[in-house]
Amino acid sequence: MPMAQRSFAPLPRRSICNPNNVGPSMSYMGDALVGKVGEFIQLRRDIHRHPELAFEEHRTSELVAAKLEAWGYSVHRGLGGTGVVGVLKRGVGKRSLGIRADMDALPIQETTGLDWTSSKPGLMHACGHDGHTAMLLAAAKAIADTPSFDGTLNLIFQPAEEGGGGAVRMMDDGLFEQHPCDAVFAMHNMPGTPAGHFVFRDGAAMASSDYITIRIHGTGGHGAMPHRAADPLVAAASIVMALQTIVSRNVDPLDTAVVTVGALHAGNANNVIPAVATMELSVRALDPDVRLLLEQRIKALVNAQAESFGVRAEIDWRKGYCVLVNHTKETEFARQVALNLVGSDRVTLHGPAITGSEDFAFMLEKIPGSYLLIGNGDGDSAGACMVHNPSYDFNDDNIAVGAAYWAALVREFFAS
Ligand SMILES: [Zn+2]
Ligand SMILES: [Zn+2]
């Protein structure tokens, strides 16, 4: 989940460090997982110790493939580079289901000090993809041990969720042509929500995310004689302020939009007017029409502002992830699975949208499905530390309940 990094004070270490002591979620384990959850907590911590960046998940990918093979899955390597699909076919049923986990880590220096801290300087699993992979592997084992469905199950382990578009690369390599799915589901952990608590949302759930570089080309000169230069710095300063009016004056107040100027660079000395000023923007929306409006207004405003200052704007617009839209029928199905598993006290039926983004959105453009959240911990617990923070760690209490959820979803999908 590529998100803005928030500052967050380091939190106390989790008191439960014994992998065999996994707390209240034990009661949600399917029979097939009883006594085995410690193995998957160790596996999660092993993946955590060995983080790999986007499209470099060679060790993780091989570990996933070897486990799936050992459990009787038909394994397909190499989709999207390091992507892996494990296929389990049972009976004669024609229905097919896809479940996706992500495997990549982030370029962050870990500061948790945990026993399973990253062994690689400057790299860590700060978004919990180690946990997502371990949860789906635990489910894969439980499902393989109790094959009680009729159809085809596709477990999709994707590379490069953190901005690299690994989902798209797998789809470009024929993911859904080779492994057709009637529905797809994915789960992400969410700090600030109690561990093991499930959150669902119909419709738009996560934002589109576009990246824009704007270069303002002027004419450099002496700081003492500005009338003989065309100052791109003053134009850029004006543009930064003018951009703030797009969300407040052009977007419907009931819609969601973000226009953030995250970088502004110009000049090196007090008496030199620079020739170029550069800006970096992050632009997000929860509706494709709003996304288009933002693009149109930003381009028009920047060009008109630049012209008014006698400078020229060069706009490099890079489209990132699209709006993630959950499908109603599949979301209702996923919600019912959680209600049956953990009860209504641990389910949020319709949670808030998030301005983070997620490339599972591209899978949902092609295949009906739903993206759900599982709480990572709240209050003063260690699991409340936000993702993309150097103190973050996936909550191992979720492995049993998350795996039990996937196993239940598989069982109920093929029974429905
Ligand atoms: Zn992330
Ligand atoms: Zn993530």
Side-chain angles (χ1 to χ4, degrees):
M1 179 188 300
M3 297 177 75
Q5 186 171 327
R6 301 181 193 175
S7 65
F8 205 108
L11 287 163
R13 296 278 169 269
R14 187 175 305 145
S15 57
I16 303 169
C17 288
N18 178 351
N20 296 314
N21 181 0
V22 295
S25 58
M26 282 287 275
S27 59
Y28 298 104
M29 286 163 55
D31 289 347
L33 278 171
V34 171
K36 293 180 183 148
V37 74
E39 172 189 340
F40 290 97
I41 289 174
Q42 294 298 355
L43 184 74
R44 199 285 292 183
R45 294 176 181 181
D46 177 67
I47 297 171
H48 190 91
R49 262 186 218 105
H50 302 95
E52 295 170 301
L53 283 178
F55 299 117
E56 296 173 3
E57 306 93 338
H58 300 287
R59 180 185 185 276
T60 311
S61 167
E62 190 47 44
L63 183 154
V64 166
K67 292 282 182 196
L68 292 172
E69 266 171 355
W71 300 332
Y73 285 75
S74 159
V75 171
H76 304 261
R77 293 172 169 85
L79 282 162
T82 46
V84 174
V85 182
V87 181
L88 195 63
K89 191 166 167 51
R90 291 283 186 263
V92 293
K94 294 280 180 245
R95 298 190 75 211
S96 57
L97 169 65
I99 302 177
R100 189 221 68 173
D102 38 18
M103 301 188 289
D104 55 322
L106 285 158
I108 295 174
Q109 177 63 46
E110 181 163 356
T111 60
T112 64
L114 294 165
D115 289 347
W116 51 93
T117 200
S118 169
S119 63
K120 295 186 181 175
L123 280 189
M124 76 174 284
H125 271 290
C127 204
H129 299 183
D130 49 343
H132 305 163
T133 297
M135 282 194 298
L136 190 53
L137 281 176
K141 177 76 164 80
I143 293 160
D145 287 349
T146 53
S148 55
F149 66 88
D150 184 20
T152 302
L153 173 64
N154 301 299
L155 301 183
I156 302 162
F157 294 84
Q158 79 153 75
E161 192 287 318
E162 297 287 0
V168 177
R169 285 277 298 276
M170 287 190 83
M171 288 163 67
D172 287 347
D173 282 356
L175 172 64
F176 292 126
E177 287 75 22
Q178 293 169 36
H179 308 287
C181 295
D182 295 325
V184 287
F185 296 88
M187 188 191 308
H188 204 290
N189 76 95
M190 180 47 68
T193 298
H197 187 104
F198 291 89
V199 181
F200 299 87
R201 180 178 174 85
D202 294 291
M206 296 187 74
S208 61
S209 179
D210 296 323
Y211 315 94
I212 300 98
T213 300
I214 300 172
R215 288 181 198 84
I216 305 297
H217 298 276
T219 305
H222 198 298
M225 289 166 270
H227 60 295
R228 296 184 60 182
D231 192 344
L233 190 153
V234 172
S238 178
I239 288 169
V240 170
M241 296 312 294
L243 285 170
Q244 309 309 312
T245 64
I246 293 176
V247 173
S248 68
R249 301 293 88 181
N250 300 134
V251 174
D252 185 326
L254 299 180
D255 284 330
T256 298
V258 179
V259 177
T260 290
V261 182
L264 170 58
H265 301 286
N268 290 306
N270 71 339
N271 60 350
V272 178
I273 292 172
V276 180
T278 305
M279 285 179 274
E280 302 284 349
L281 277 62
S282 173
V283 174
R284 291 156 189 267
L286 277 168
D287 180 306
D289 291 340
V290 175
R291 185 188 195 187
L292 187 62
L293 172 74
L294 293 174
E295 180 174 356
Q296 290 167 343
R297 285 298 303 137
I298 288 170
K299 286 179 175 173
L301 186 148
V302 169
N303 283 322
Q305 285 264 323
E307 188 181 359
S308 76
F309 283 95
V311 295
R312 178 175 63 85
E314 175 195 352
I315 303 172
D316 177 16
W317 197 282
R318 300 185 300 288
K319 276 201 174 353
Y321 296 172
C322 60
V323 179
L324 184 146
V325 182
N326 283 325
H327 297 245
T328 305
K329 180 166 155 263
E330 285 70 24
T331 302
E332 179 53 23
F333 166 71
R335 192 183 277 130
Q336 283 301 325
V337 172
L339 287 169
N340 294 343
L341 184 73
V342 298
S344 58
D345 289 351
R346 299 185 70 179
V347 175
T348 298
L349 299 177
H350 192 67
I354 298 171
T355 50
S357 61
E358 161 66 65
D359 71 350
F360 187 65
F362 293 106
M363 294 194 183
L364 290 178
E365 280 194 328
K366 194 156 188 182
I367 311 281
S370 194
Y371 181 81
L372 56 125
L373 302 174
I374 183 169
N376 199 57
D378 62 345
D380 293 332
S381 73
C385 178
M386 197 55 189
V387 291
H388 293 208
N389 182 288
S391 295
Y392 168 87
D393 190 40
F394 181 84
N395 190 337
D396 284 327
D397 286 354
N398 275 341
I399 289 180
V401 66
Y405 177 81
W406 284 139
L409 184 127
V410 170
R411 196 169 52 242
E412 293 181 32
F413 179 84
F414 288 112
S416 64

